[in-house]
Amino acid sequence: MEHWIIAPIVVPALVAPMIVLTMRHDLTLQRIAGLASAVTLVGLTLALLAAAAGGDIESYELGSWPAPFGIVLVLDRLSAMMVTLTAVLGLIVLAYAVATGWDRRGRNFHALYQFQLMGLFGAMLTGDIFNLFVFFEILLIASYGLMTHGGGRMRLRGGVQYVIYNLAGSTLFLFALGTLYAVFGTLNMADLAERATQLPEGDAGLVRVTAALLVLVFLLKGALVPLHFWLPNTYALAPAPVAALFAVMTKVGAYAVIRVYTLIFPDTLVAMNGLVADVLMPAALVTLALGMIGVLSGGTLSRVASFAAIGSMGTLFLAVSGFTEPGIGAALYYLVHSTLAGAALFLVVDQVRARRGNSSLADQAPMVGGGLISAFFFVAAIAAAGMPPLSGFIGKLLVLDAIRDQDWWVWGWAFVLVTSLLAVVGFARAGSALFWKPHDAGAPSPDDFEVAPGSTSGWGLGALGVLLALVVALTILAGPVTRYTSATAAQLFAPIGYIHAVLGTPEQRLARAAAEAEARAAHEAAHAGEHGNGHAGNGHDAAPAGDAGHAPDEGGH
């Protein structure tokens, strides 16, 4: 299985240029290649998930260069879960885009989509923090193109805002990496984790600065207050399938926080002294409140869905902020739920637009054929608000249970419960305005946040139904899923397994060092022998030359 770890990165990396170079004029071939790639990726990631479920951690060394000198990819429970979630969501969203015709509204949709998947998979599998930056840039460059797919003045404006914010984050990331390398002399995550425990006290200040820079970058990706401003317009203006796929992009920020601050900068590190947790908890509470107030006050369903995504990140980071095993386990379950529920909401928005021409909550002409869509909205809203009986309710219960041992648990419980009520009211208001409220044909036209409606394809509805069925399945299979997430959290808080999988156990390192020393000695001996033989050969050749040189003199005498 070791060599299969790189497959989720290689497959889209090969398919994307193939689409551009050989299929750019044939949309049907692009669709076949894109869907075939997405199906293959689901199969590959499910195999990786099965391999990681037993608790074994595997690493893959690119070019057979050993860590920490070469690039490594690492498969553990966390990375396996994340790539599987991404692959499943990617297949469903791509099927929706094909079924509704979103892929024909601009050029290179399928190639950009493959590059986006490549960047996501690479960020989740890499064991090197510089390559985390590289894969961030790959997925962000692809997302720039996908964000503006189909054109339009408002979408372009939202895309520019998205680019500016993320370029600032990328610049900050480079500063953080430079500081990190100056302090540790390495960027391999396992090597960083090992060296962090051995740093002298005099470097504690630099460690804290580096950790603070990195957390700012990851919280920008995760849209946590006050770094969330890019998200509402970006998600509301993006094409619906792109916004649905973007539901997992904010989770990459949460993944990076979990990975880096349990492996490299854990709370047990003296230099940290609760630095990240002290920032994360209040920011998560404010994000949760702001997101659900936005749900209550959103003027269009697209903005309601965007603010729901912000609120879900607040709940997720609230669970993470304690940096405990129960908290991380609850956060991972809620991460899966919020990704599926958020993506479903954006696809519901697209179906509403297709039937009304917009998603404005203002009075206007009634929806055509909205019975099934209203049912889909009802399920997605219940899931996003965290109401029983769906997985959002289970996820929030897990979060509340995980934080009850924290000193600030009263604040956490109060914010989660009150904001859940706000979400219920906000979604109820949106649903009643869209599906049940009497409409006025003379109502004002929708605002500038609206984009062209999608197709009302039955296959598109089928893809949306599959997404909601996964939310239901997550509810039914809550027991096995929570056992997996709890085991994942336990693995994260035992980083020695990760370090040994990448760098080797002490015995393996000693054996490798001895083998390298022996090989080096043999090479030097061989080189010395060749050098000696060369000198001997030169002396042997010189004697006859001298004799030959003297022969005429002797003959002359």
Side-chain angles (χ1 to χ4, degrees):
M1 185 55 69
E2 173 190 345
H3 294 284
W4 288 101
I5 298 174
I6 197 174
I9 302 172
V10 170
V11 169
L14 293 176
V15 172
M18 183 177 69
I19 289 174
V20 172
L21 295 174
T22 64
M23 307 176 191
R24 62 182 179 274
H25 300 303
D26 192 327
L27 181 60
T28 301
L29 287 179
Q30 292 180 38
R31 288 174 168 178
I32 292 171
L35 288 170
S37 170
V39 171
T40 302
L41 288 169
V42 170
L44 288 170
T45 54
L46 286 174
L48 294 177
L49 182 68
D56 294 332
I57 302 177
E58 298 184 56
S59 65
Y60 176 79
E61 298 172 345
L62 274 72
S64 296
W65 282 88
F69 308 107
I71 299 170
V72 294
L73 304 176
V74 184
L75 179 72
D76 63 354
R77 286 190 175 109
L78 177 60
S79 58
M81 186 193 82
M82 293 297 296
V83 295
T84 304
L85 174 64
T86 303
V88 171
L89 180 65
L91 173 59
I92 295 171
V93 170
L94 183 60
Y96 181 91
V98 170
T100 55
W102 268 107
D103 60 335
R104 65 170 70 248
R105 301 189 185 188
R107 301 184 63 183
N108 300 318
F109 175 86
H110 289 278
L112 289 170
Y113 197 90
Q114 294 298 314
F115 279 127
Q116 176 88 357
L117 292 178
M118 173 193 168
L120 288 167
F121 291 136
M124 295 162 183
L125 288 169
T126 185
D128 184 286
I129 199 164
F130 180 78
N131 282 283
L132 179 64
F133 165 78
V134 171
F135 284 117
F136 269 11
E137 295 310 296
I138 292 172
L139 70 90
L140 287 173
I141 290 170
S143 68
Y144 299 154
L146 291 173
M147 166 65 198
T148 56
H149 176 75
R153 181 177 61 86
M154 292 303 299
R155 187 173 293 153
L156 184 60
R157 190 178 79 176
V160 169
Q161 183 186 43
Y162 176 67
V163 168
I164 291 172
Y165 267 93
N166 281 281
L167 283 178
S170 298
T171 304
L172 194 61
F173 202 169
L174 280 177
F175 289 156
L177 291 178
T179 309
L180 195 66
Y181 191 77
V183 174
F184 291 95
T186 183
L187 293 174
N188 178 279
M189 291 189 195
D191 202 25
L192 284 168
E194 199 168 60
R195 296 190 185 195
T197 61
Q198 303 166 0
L199 279 179
E201 291 184 9
D203 289 333
L206 283 174
V207 171
R208 290 172 66 84
V209 169
T210 305
L213 289 174
L214 286 173
V215 81
L216 283 176
V217 173
F218 299 150
L219 296 187
L220 173 64
K221 308 298 183 187
L224 210 66
V225 170
L227 305 172
H228 69 292
F229 294 106
W230 61 271
L231 191 147
N233 282 355
T234 299
Y235 281 34
L237 295 170
V242 174
L245 183 65
F246 280 8
V248 81
M249 278 186 57
T250 48
K251 307 310 185 295
V252 176
Y255 165 82
V257 169
I258 293 171
R259 174 69 76 193
V260 170
Y261 294 96
T262 57
L263 178 64
I264 303 172
F265 302 118
D267 265 355
T268 54
L269 198 65
V270 176
M272 295 302 295
N273 194 27
L275 170 69
V276 177
D278 291 344
V279 171
L280 212 54
M281 188 275 292
L285 292 178
V286 177
T287 303
L288 177 56
L290 182 70
M292 294 315 174
I293 291 172
V295 170
L296 187 63
S297 60
T300 63
L301 188 59
S302 58
R303 289 184 67 81
V304 167
S306 298
F307 278 105
I310 292 176
S312 70
M313 293 307 297
T315 305
L316 175 58
F317 276 115
L318 184 65
V320 171
S321 64
F323 288 100
T324 62
E325 280 189 31
I328 298 296
L332 294 177
Y333 181 89
Y334 191 80
L335 183 152
V336 177
H337 154 78
S338 59
T339 301
L340 298 176
L345 265 178
F346 285 109
L347 297 189
V348 168
V349 171
D350 189 54
Q351 290 299 313
V352 169
R353 284 175 176 155
R355 286 160 174 78
R356 300 184 70 180
N358 56 73
S359 66
S360 174
L361 303 182
D363 292 350
Q364 53 189 285
M367 185 180 304
V368 178
L372 183 58
I373 303 305
S374 63
F376 282 169
F377 170 78
F378 184 67
V379 175
I382 287 176
M387 295 298 292
L390 295 180
S391 52
F393 179 69
I394 298 172
K396 287 193 175 181
L397 280 182
L398 291 172
V399 171
L400 292 175
D401 183 61
I403 66 175
R404 62 189 174 89
D405 292 331
Q406 301 292 330
D407 295 337
W408 42 265
W409 72 270
V410 174
W411 289 103
W413 278 52
F415 270 73
V416 171
L417 295 175
V418 172
T419 54
S420 295
L421 176 61
L422 292 179
V424 170
V425 174
F427 281 117
R429 174 178 174 274
S432 63
L434 290 170
F435 302 108
W436 296 289
K437 189 175 181 180
H439 299 285
D440 178 10
S445 59
D447 58 34
D448 285 339
F449 285 101
E450 298 307 324
V451 295
S455 166
T456 56
S457 162
W459 288 106
L461 287 175
L464 173 54
V466 170
L467 200 52
L468 291 173
L470 288 177
V471 174
V472 175
L474 184 63
T475 308
I476 297 171
L477 300 175
V481 174
T482 52
R483 284 195 291 273
Y484 183 91
T485 57
S486 297
T488 303
Q491 190 177 65
L492 288 169
F493 282 93
I496 194 67
Y498 187 100
I499 295 170
H500 286 172
V502 175
L503 301 177
T505 63
E507 294 78 11
Q508 290 171 334
R509 288 188 236 180
L510 286 173
R512 187 166 60 223
E516 289 172 356
E518 184 178 345
R520 187 162 53 248
H523 176 73
E524 290 173 354
H527 181 70
E530 290 174 4
H531 188 65
N533 289 338
H535 279 297
N538 289 339
H540 179 72
D541 292 342
D547 292 344
H550 286 289
D553 292 338
E554 291 172 356
H557 288 298

